Amino acid sequence: MSSFGRVIRLAIGGWALLLLITAAPAPSLAQQINPTASSVNERQLLQEADRIQGRVSIPDQRSSVLMQPAGREWREFRNVVLRWIGGVAIVGMMAVLVIFYLTRGMVRLESGRSGRTIVRFDTFERFVHWMTATCFIILAISGLNITFGRPVLLPLIGFEAFSEWSQWAKYAHNYLSFPFTIGVVLIFLMWIGGNIPNKVDVAWIRRGGGIVGHDHPPAYRFNAGQKMIYWIVVIGGGLVAVTGYQLMFPFYVTGIEGMQLAQIVHSVVAVLFVATMIAHIYIGTIGMEGAFEAMGSGEVDVNWAREHHSLWLDQQMARTGTGGSQPQPAKAAAE
């Protein structure tokens, strides 16, 4: 019994000694260990790899990326650089057009109206043009809301109205992209034959296209300026369509880096596209007398066609058997 008691006492003593050892502070050991000595700071990680990535057990392996340095550059572009590009391009274009209008004014028909008209665009061509143009305007407004909505519109209308507007703008932007794309394809197919550059375009540009001064260089159905607009619509519209569908249906054909590149291309091309179309709208409305009629009624005055598209007018006259014609003087008012 006494032996058993000694065993019990030894066990209790050993247990107490173990408690004292584990509970005692070890200041010297703590001072020797540097808790960050073997760790790597964020800057070192980003220098050694293009991302910080781990392992996940869920099906979506993209969630394993904890940090991607390129994302910071993309965010800086989206929040700062893009606003500067868009602001300078769009506001700058509007300022140039205002100055041009105040100094040059509307390009008038110098020979006046002849009272005779000629068909310039048929019904189908005008339908495609206006469908594409309408979609473009809505896409432009709703797209610019993504870049400029928060700093410009939100302080004016408040959070609730801005949220409601942004939601509908997103729906409009997504769904109207389809008819816009169809319109761009149809424009490409309809007018490709008349928009191949030629020597006449070089002479047209050298003579200022009738915009600078009062010269009227000859041109076929589409002059050099209209051909530039055509290719901007086809190429620019194609780029914003392709990149836009990448953003609308993410990660089907590319990873996160491709998505960021698609957003950069989409936004830069879009704001430059908007700036160019502002100039196009100016020329087609208040910039040139008689120009809107081409896409309005589809018919233009013969004198307008002679001043701005004389070679095309000669072709049309020869085709109909009426022969060429010189600009007709405006009809005198009845006395």
Side-chain angles (χ1 to χ4, degrees):
M1 187 70 179
S2 59
S3 299
F4 178 75
R6 283 197 298 272
V7 172
I8 294 298
R9 287 194 296 271
L10 287 174
I12 295 173
W15 179 71
L17 180 61
L18 182 61
L19 286 178
L20 290 174
I21 292 175
T22 55
S28 60
L29 183 62
Q31 292 174 358
Q32 293 174 2
I33 296 177
N34 183 354
T36 63
S38 60
S39 64
V40 181
N41 61 38
E42 179 182 328
R43 185 181 299 275
Q44 290 173 318
L45 279 175
L46 298 182
Q47 289 174 348
E48 294 177 4
D50 63 348
R51 63 178 63 197
I52 301 176
Q53 186 169 343
R55 291 194 300 268
V56 294
S57 58
I58 62 177
D60 187 2
Q61 294 299 312
R62 291 188 300 269
S63 62
S64 64
V65 179
L66 302 179
M67 185 177 297
Q68 184 208 23
R72 295 180 177 179
E73 299 174 2
W74 169 81
R75 184 175 59 209
E76 176 71 12
F77 165 82
R78 182 180 181 276
N79 294 337
V80 180
V81 178
L82 178 60
R83 290 175 180 174
W84 276 103
I85 295 174
V88 170
I90 296 173
V91 177
M93 178 62 74
M94 295 176 67
V96 168
L97 293 176
V98 169
I99 295 173
F100 184 80
Y101 182 79
L102 293 177
T103 55
R104 174 66 169 85
M106 176 181 283
V107 178
R108 299 287 182 180
L109 273 174
E110 294 187 357
S111 54
R113 292 183 178 270
S114 66
R116 296 185 297 149
T117 60
I118 183 172
V119 176
R120 180 151 172 79
F121 296 109
D122 61 32
T123 303
F124 180 73
E125 290 176 309
R126 287 182 286 123
F127 167 77
V128 173
H129 172 272
W130 286 116
M131 178 189 73
T132 310
T134 302
C135 291
F136 170 79
I137 292 173
I138 299 175
L139 289 169
I141 295 173
S142 56
L144 290 174
N145 180 67
I146 299 174
T147 302
F148 298 101
R150 283 185 175 274
V152 176
L153 192 59
L154 176 60
L156 298 177
I157 65 177
F159 286 98
E160 185 174 351
F162 179 74
S163 177
E164 186 74 14
W165 149 250
S166 297
Q167 182 179 12
W168 285 106
K170 176 185 176 182
Y171 291 148
H173 199 84
N174 289 344
Y175 288 111
L176 290 180
S177 66
F178 297 104
F180 171 78
T181 303
I182 294 173
V184 170
V185 172
L186 291 176
I187 285 174
F188 170 73
L189 296 175
M190 285 191 311
W191 294 329
I192 179 63
N195 281 280
I196 304 300
N198 52 46
K199 294 181 180 180
V200 174
D201 300 324
V202 177
W204 188 91
I205 294 173
R206 288 177 177 174
R207 293 171 60 174
I211 300 297
V212 179
H214 298 276
D215 192 12
H216 298 293
Y220 288 102
R221 190 184 189 193
F222 299 102
N223 57 41
Q226 292 167 331
K227 289 180 180 180
M228 284 188 280
I229 294 295
Y230 170 84
W231 288 111
I232 288 172
V233 169
V234 170
I235 297 174
L239 284 174
V240 296
V242 171
T243 54
Y245 292 135
Q246 280 187 267
L247 299 174
M248 192 184 305
F249 303 102
F251 303 111
Y252 278 88
V253 295
T254 185
I256 185 65
E257 294 87 353
M259 294 292 297
Q260 291 169 348
L261 178 61
Q263 196 274 339
I264 292 173
V265 173
H266 185 83
S267 56
V268 171
V269 174
V271 294
L272 297 179
F273 199 175
V274 170
T276 304
M277 289 302 104
I278 290 175
H280 176 62
I281 293 171
Y282 165 81
I283 293 296
T285 53
I286 64 174
M288 179 178 291
E289 182 183 4
F292 184 81
E293 297 166 14
M295 277 298 171
S297 64
E299 298 181 353
V300 295
D301 191 88
V302 170
N303 281 356
W304 184 92
R306 173 61 62 186
E307 290 185 9
H308 300 293
H309 300 274
S310 58
L311 299 178
W312 169 74
L313 178 63
D314 290 340
Q315 289 177 333
Q316 296 303 108
M317 293 294 187
R319 185 175 302 169
T320 58
T322 56
S325 63
Q326 295 298 319
Q328 301 297 318
K331 292 182 178 180
E335 296 182 1

